[in-house]
Every structure is written in C-alpha cells, then in structure tokens.
C-alpha cells in the first residue's frame, strides 16, 4: 500500500510551517463533462498568463515542495509548457493531472522537456464503453491509453487515477490488470465525493458504507501480493479496519489543510479542492501567516466529534473521517463521514 503522506500526530496544527503539496486548479475549462466533476459548477474567470506566472513565482518564493497542476483540463492552456518550464527553473516539482484526451506524442515530449516530473492520467474502467459514458466523451478511453504510452515515451513517471463509484467498484481487479498492461507505476483509487456534478448524481454514483468497507478490504488484500504496481488509497476511515496489512496512521484525520492546500485559478486558497471555504489568496496574502493563524483553517484542523463520533474509539486516529465528504453531505465540518461503516 502506497504511503505518500508523512506521519503526523497533531490534528490541530500543521506539521510544517507551510504546506507540502499544493494542488493548483490552473483553469476550470475542460473538454469533458464528467458525471462526478467537483469543479464543473465552480465559477472562476480564466486566469491570464501573467496571473499564472505570478502564482508560479509565489510558489517558488515559498518553496512549496510539490505542486500538482489540475483543473479542468490543463492541456487546454497553450501556455502550460511555459508555466511548467518557469516553475521547474525555479526549483518547483510539478506533476500534472490530465484526462489524456489532448496528449499527443509531440506535446508529451514538450512536457518532458519543460521539466514536468510526473503525470497522472484518468482511467475509470477497463471497459471503454463504461469509461466513455462516465466521462461523457466518446473515444476518451482509447485516448487515455495512448496518452500513457506517449508520456512514458517522453521519459515521464506515469500514474493512473481512478475515481471509485458504483460504475466501477465491482471491476477493481480488471482495472488493476489494465494498469499493469499499460505499464503505469501506481494506481490512485480516489473515493467519490459529492461535490459539483457529483452532488447532483450522488444517488447513482456513491457506494453504501458497507460497500466502501469491502472495497478497501479488497484493495488491501490485493496490495499484499501485488508486485511491481503500487495501489494507493488515502482515507482517514481506513484506520478502523482491524486486519493485517491495513495502513498505519499516516495522518490524524484528513491531510487537507494540514499538509496540503488547493489553489484556485485566481489564486484563492482553500483547504482542499472539494471544499469552497476560502482561507485567503496566494497573490494577496502572506501564506506563512495564513497557514499558521487562519481561523478557517484552524476550524478545519481542530474538528470536534459529533453524533456517533462522540463514542467511537477510533476518533483520535480518524478525526471523523474525510472532512470534505462530511462538509459536502451536511454543511458541517464536524459531522461524521457519510462513508463511515461503523
């Protein structure tokens, strides 16, 4: 099981003076209209190249170790290669999240030459018809597979991103086999969150708590014997699985707002991509001061148990589960995670 987040035993304060990872929504424009998209209903103006370069300079000034560029679809931006080149020259470690549809052999090579370190391509099913229907883009499955090939040819580390929903959760093993065939390094299984169009389609897409429990047990079982392919799933409620091979306590509760942050197209900062709680603006505010003293962030970090969490022995480790899921489902940061099976 991949463990990509450092250990931390403090839920109320960040483990470092600044975030370790910045997830940057460079643009919200997209050539897809996925049924689960968290950003499709957000309203931000398309940032100018100058705004994008200002954000790059700020990230370099604060020496944020890892920056993932997402959206939207970042490859819709013609200045993407120059943005990555500018950041790489300033010491930033850029990764890219893409649906793969616009990746060609030529621009994959440009991404490599620009200094991109890693790419993550979305693939939600081994079945092309299922994937294309879910992503609402004909031919998207074939283009994603092709994108992986082109990015690997360009010398990039390539991972696969799979959003787990009712559409694909029974085909876990087939998805893993697809990942092995196309030669990716890691599959990140992202749990469904009911933000954006995902909220509109929650009844069709979300799993029952017992189904999430069974899914995670299957992933743990496969990961114990799988060779050469990392399986990553990050979820605070994993700590409640009392069985061999479950992940250790990588973080007390959600890592969002403690080790990671989200940057919107205009520089607005939120604890994570799924929660619209604004904590400031990267271009207008002192990030160090915000990260230390933001009232909104401190509420996000210092959650208080409610409901069944009041009597749960796992609360000190789990901290109520995924804060984004709880907030999106109830409007309250402190509510129990709706995916919790206890």
């Amino acid at each position: 099981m991949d463990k990509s987040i450092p250990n931390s035993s403090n839920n109320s304060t960040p483990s470092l003076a600044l975030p370790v990872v910045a997830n940057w929504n460079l643009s919200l424009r997209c050539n897809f209209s996925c049924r689960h998209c968290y950003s499709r209903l957000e309203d931000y103006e398309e940032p100018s190249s100058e705004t994008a370069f200002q954000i790059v300079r700020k990230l370099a000034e604060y020496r944020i170790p890892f920056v993932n560029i997402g959206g939207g679809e970042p490859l819709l931006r013609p200045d993407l290669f120059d943005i990555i080149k500018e950041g790489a020259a300033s010491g930033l470690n850029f990764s890219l999240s893409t649906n793969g549809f616009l990746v060609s052999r030529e621009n994959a090579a440009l991404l490599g030459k620009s200094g991109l370190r890693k790419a993550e391509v979305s693939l939600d099913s081994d079945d092309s018809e299922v994937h294309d229907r879910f992503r609402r883009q004909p031919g998207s499955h074939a283009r994603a597979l092709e994108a992986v090939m082109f990015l690997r040819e360009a010398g990039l580390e390539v991972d696969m991103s799979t959003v787990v929903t009712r559409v694909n959760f029974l085909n876990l093993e087939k998805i893993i086999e697809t990942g092995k065939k196309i030669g990716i390094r890691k599959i990140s299984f992202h749990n469904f969150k009911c933000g954006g169009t995902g909220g509109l389609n929650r009844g069709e897409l979300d799993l029952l708590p017992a189904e999430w429990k069974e899914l995670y047990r299957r992933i743990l079982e496969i990961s114990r014997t799988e060779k050469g392919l990392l399986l990553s799933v990050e979820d605070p409620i994993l700590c409640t699985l009392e069985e061999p091979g479950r992940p250790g306590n990588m973080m007390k509760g959600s890592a969002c707002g403690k080790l990671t942050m989200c940057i919107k197209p205009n520089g607005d900062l939120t604890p994570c991509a799924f929660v619209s709680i604004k904590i400031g603006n990267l271009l207008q505010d002192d990030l160090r001061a915000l990260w230390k003293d933001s009232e909104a962030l401190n509420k996000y970090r210092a959650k208080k148990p409610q409901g069944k969490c009041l009597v749960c022995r796992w609360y000190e480790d789990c901290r109520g589960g995924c804060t984004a899921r709880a907030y999106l489902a109830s409007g309250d940061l402190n509510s129990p995670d709706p995916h919790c099976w206890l």
Side-chain angles (χ1 to χ4, degrees), residues 132-157:
D132 291 1
R133 186 167 57 249
F134 182 63
R135 293 279 173 172
R136 293 181 175 177
Q137 180 63 270
S140 58
H141 186 272
R143 295 286 280 271
L145 297 180
E146 197 173 55
V148 172
M149 177 180 68
F150 292 150
L151 292 164
R152 292 186 67 217
E153 284 179 0
L156 293 170
E157 185 178 294

Side-chain angles (χ1 to χ4, degrees), residues 93-94 119 135 171 197 254-255 311:
N93 295 301
F94 273 133
R135 293 279 173 172
N171 294 323
T197 56
S254 297
V311 294

Side-chain angles (χ1 to χ4, degrees), residues 108-127:
L110 282 174
L111 288 170
K113 291 176 181 177
S114 299
L116 186 70
R117 296 296 185 88
K118 183 176 73 172
E120 185 178 67
V121 179
S122 297
L123 197 72
D124 294 308
S125 178
D126 62 293
D127 187 314

Side-chain angles (χ1 to χ4, degrees), residues 58-320:
K58 279 293 184 180
L59 290 168
E61 175 187 331
Y62 289 117
R63 298 184 180 181
I64 303 301
F66 302 101
V67 181
N68 182 69
I69 300 177
E73 173 50 54
L75 280 164
L76 287 169
R77 296 274 305 199
D79 56 0
L80 175 64
F81 310 102
D82 292 330
I83 289 169
I84 294 172
K85 186 175 181 180
E86 173 84 7
S90 302
L92 294 174
N93 295 301
F94 273 133
S95 58
L96 178 73
S97 293
T98 175
N99 57 43
F101 199 83
L102 299 176
V103 176
S104 65
R105 181 172 274 112
E106 291 72 25
N107 63 24
L110 282 174
L111 288 170
K113 291 176 181 177
S114 299
L116 186 70
R117 296 296 185 88
K118 183 176 73 172
E120 185 178 67
V121 179
S122 297
L123 197 72
D124 294 308
S125 178
D126 62 293
D127 187 314
S128 60
E129 291 185 10
V130 172
H131 175 91
D132 291 1
R133 186 167 57 249
F134 182 63
R135 293 279 173 172
R136 293 181 175 177
Q137 180 63 270
S140 58
H141 186 272
R143 295 286 280 271
L145 297 180
E146 197 173 55
V148 172
M149 177 180 68
F150 292 150
L151 292 164
R152 292 186 67 217
E153 284 179 0
L156 293 170
E157 185 178 294
V158 186
D159 294 344
M160 192 167 102
S161 170
T162 299
V163 179
V164 179
T165 65
R166 190 158 293 283
V167 169
N168 59 14
F169 82 107
L170 293 177
N171 294 323
L172 184 71
E173 289 80 4
K174 291 183 179 180
I175 292 171
I176 292 170
E177 284 303 312
T178 299
K180 291 166 69 173
K181 287 179 183 177
I182 61 178
I184 54 92
R185 182 189 71 97
K186 178 176 77 171
I187 301 178
S188 292
F189 291 104
H190 300 289
N191 51 73
F192 171 81
K193 297 179 178 67
C194 55
T197 56
L200 301 178
N201 297 308
R202 183 183 178 189
E204 300 175 46
L205 298 177
D206 205 358
L207 277 60
L208 299 173
E211 291 172 325
W212 284 111
K213 181 179 183 180
E214 178 58 28
L215 174 88
Y216 287 153
R217 280 183 165 166
R218 285 164 59 203
I219 293 176
L220 287 171
E221 181 179 353
I222 295 169
S223 69
R224 284 196 288 267
T225 58
E226 183 58 56
K227 306 295 182 183
L229 179 64
L230 294 173
L231 304 180
S232 174
V233 55
E234 296 173 5
D235 195 324
I237 60 176
L238 277 168
C239 69
T240 68
L241 288 178
E242 296 184 273
E243 59 179 61
R246 75 166 178 83
N249 295 326
M250 299 175 284
M251 166 62 62
K252 300 293 185 180
S254 297
C256 300
K258 301 172 189 173
L259 295 179
T260 68
M261 70 175 181
C262 177
I263 308 170
K264 299 299 184 178
N266 67 343
D268 281 353
L269 302 172
T270 63
C272 83
F274 299 95
V275 173
S276 59
I277 297 173
K278 181 180 174 181
I279 60 176
N281 186 283
L282 184 66
L283 302 180
Q284 300 168 9
D285 301 309
D286 182 339
L287 180 58
R288 287 186 180 86
L290 284 176
W291 200 247
K292 179 183 177 183
D293 297 322
S294 165
E295 182 179 353
L297 266 184
N298 287 335
K299 287 181 179 179
Y300 205 86
R301 294 163 179 159
K303 293 168 63 177
K304 299 187 180 348
Q306 291 185 4
K308 63 181 180 180
C309 293
L310 285 166
V311 294
C312 181
R313 67 189 179 95
W314 294 107
Y315 187 78
E316 285 304 309
D317 289 323
C318 176
R319 298 291 178 175

